[in-house]
Amino acid sequence: MTDLNNRTVLITGANRGLGASLVEVALDRGAKRVYAGARDIHSLSAVVESLGDRVVPVRLDVTDPAQTAAAAAVGDVDLLISNAGITCQEAILAAADIENFRRTMEVNYFGTMNLLRAFSDQIRARHGGIVLILSVAAVSLSRSAPAYSASKAATLMLGSSVREEMRADDVGVTVSLPGWIDTDMAAALPGEKATPRTVAERSIDGHLDGDEVVWPDRFAELVRQQVDGHMLDLLVRPRDVMNTLAARFAAGAGA
C-alpha cells in the first residue's frame, strides 16, 4: 500500500492525543473512511464533530474479544493502526501486587494480539497494512515504567512475528517507536516532547513509504543511533537472520 486514497482505516485509542492526530492525518492522506475506536464511544464526539462524517465512531475495548470481533465485522479495513495502550509507572520489586502489571500486559500485548487476530483475514484479502504504535521503551528500558517497557517489548516481537506470517500476502507491518509525546500519558515527564501530529504523520507516512520500523521524533532517533544494525535486521527479518545463524551454528562457524 503506497497511499490511502479511497482506503479505509481503523484506529484504536482514537479519542484523544496521538489517536486523534492519527485520525486527522489518515483523512489528510486521502482515506475515504476512518473507523475511530475507543472504549467509551461518547468520548469520540469531539473527534467526529471536528473532522466530519468520514469518521465513524466504534466502541472498541481491545481486551474484549466480543467487541473486537464486532468491530472487525465491518469487513472493509485496509489499514489497521493499533494505538490503544496504557502505562504503569511502578517499580517491579517494590509494588504491593502485580495487578497493574497484568493490566498493562493485557491491554498493550494481548489487546494488540486480539486486534491482529480479528482483522487479519480482511487485511490479507485486501493486501492492506498494519501499523503498531509502540515506544522506544520497547528497545530501551523505561526507568520509571519497567513493566510498560516489558509490554512494549513483547508487542514488538508480536509485530515481528505477524510481519513474517503475512509477508507472503503482500501485507506491510510497520512498528513505530516514538519517544516522549506531548499527551496526557507523558504529562508528568520533563523535557522536550514531540507533538502528536508529528508522530502521527511520520508513523503513517513511514508505513506508506514501506518502512518496517519508524523512529518518529528526535529522542527516538537518538535511541536508534544506539541500536546496532544487526539488531535492526532481527526486528524486520528475524526468520532470515535466525536461519542464517542456525546454518552457521550447524556448520560449526563462529565457535
Side-chain angles (χ1 to χ4, degrees):
M1 183 191 308
T2 58
D3 62 64
L4 291 183
N5 292 330
N6 294 315
R7 298 278 194 164
T8 299
V9 182
L10 185 140
I11 299 167
T12 64
N15 53 319
R16 59 194 173 98
L18 178 57
S21 289
L22 287 164
V23 174
E24 183 179 349
V25 172
L27 293 173
D28 288 349
R29 298 300 186 266
K32 69 177 180 181
R33 183 181 303 110
V34 175
Y35 296 109
R39 285 178 295 176
D40 178 5
I41 200 167
H42 300 294
S43 68
L44 293 160
S45 58
V47 175
V48 175
E49 288 174 11
S50 65
L51 298 178
D53 59 7
R54 284 191 292 161
V55 180
V56 179
V58 176
R59 178 177 285 106
L60 180 52
D61 178 345
V62 296
T63 67
D64 185 329
Q67 287 190 21
T68 307
V74 296
D76 64 345
V77 172
D78 297 293
L79 177 63
L80 176 66
I81 303 181
S82 174
N83 170 68
I86 61 173
T87 190
C88 177
Q89 296 194 359
E90 294 185 58
I92 289 176
L93 299 182
D97 59 50
I98 64 170
E99 290 311 306
N100 286 339
F101 302 152
R102 287 187 187 278
R103 176 64 178 165
T104 301
M105 189 64 74
E106 190 66 35
V107 174
N108 295 352
Y109 177 72
F110 287 106
T112 303
M113 181 186 288
N114 288 341
L115 195 70
L116 295 176
R117 286 169 58 84
F119 282 86
S120 62
D121 287 345
Q122 64 192 277
I123 295 294
R124 278 188 167 114
R126 300 172 72 85
H127 303 292
I130 295 168
V131 177
L132 304 182
I133 305 295
L134 302 182
S135 167
V136 291
V139 296
S140 177
L141 178 67
S142 170
R143 294 166 297 172
S144 61
Y148 174 76
S149 275
S151 71
K152 292 298 185 178
T155 310
L156 179 61
M157 291 299 103
L158 174 66
S160 295
S161 175
V162 169
R163 182 185 297 113
E164 291 299 311
E165 289 190 44
M166 303 185 85
R167 195 182 293 279
D169 301 299
D170 195 28
V171 172
V173 177
T174 297
V175 295
S176 179
L177 304 174
W180 295 312
I181 310 173
D182 191 12
T183 63
D184 291 346
M185 183 181 288
L189 297 174
E192 179 186 343
K193 300 168 190 174
T195 67
R197 175 76 190 200
T198 295
V199 173
E201 287 180 335
R202 292 179 179 174
S203 298
I204 290 178
D205 291 345
H207 175 75
L208 296 177
D209 288 341
D211 296 336
E212 293 170 310
V213 181
V214 175
W215 310 82
D217 58 83
R218 192 170 73 86
F219 185 75
E221 179 60 25
L222 291 174
V223 173
R224 187 203 66 78
Q225 292 171 15
Q226 300 300 311
V227 177
D228 183 84
H230 295 298
M231 175 63 180
L232 292 176
D233 289 341
L234 278 168
L235 293 181
V236 301
R237 293 190 176 274
R239 185 170 298 167
D240 292 346
V241 173
M242 294 305 291
N243 284 345
T244 299
L245 294 177
R248 288 178 56 192
F249 182 76

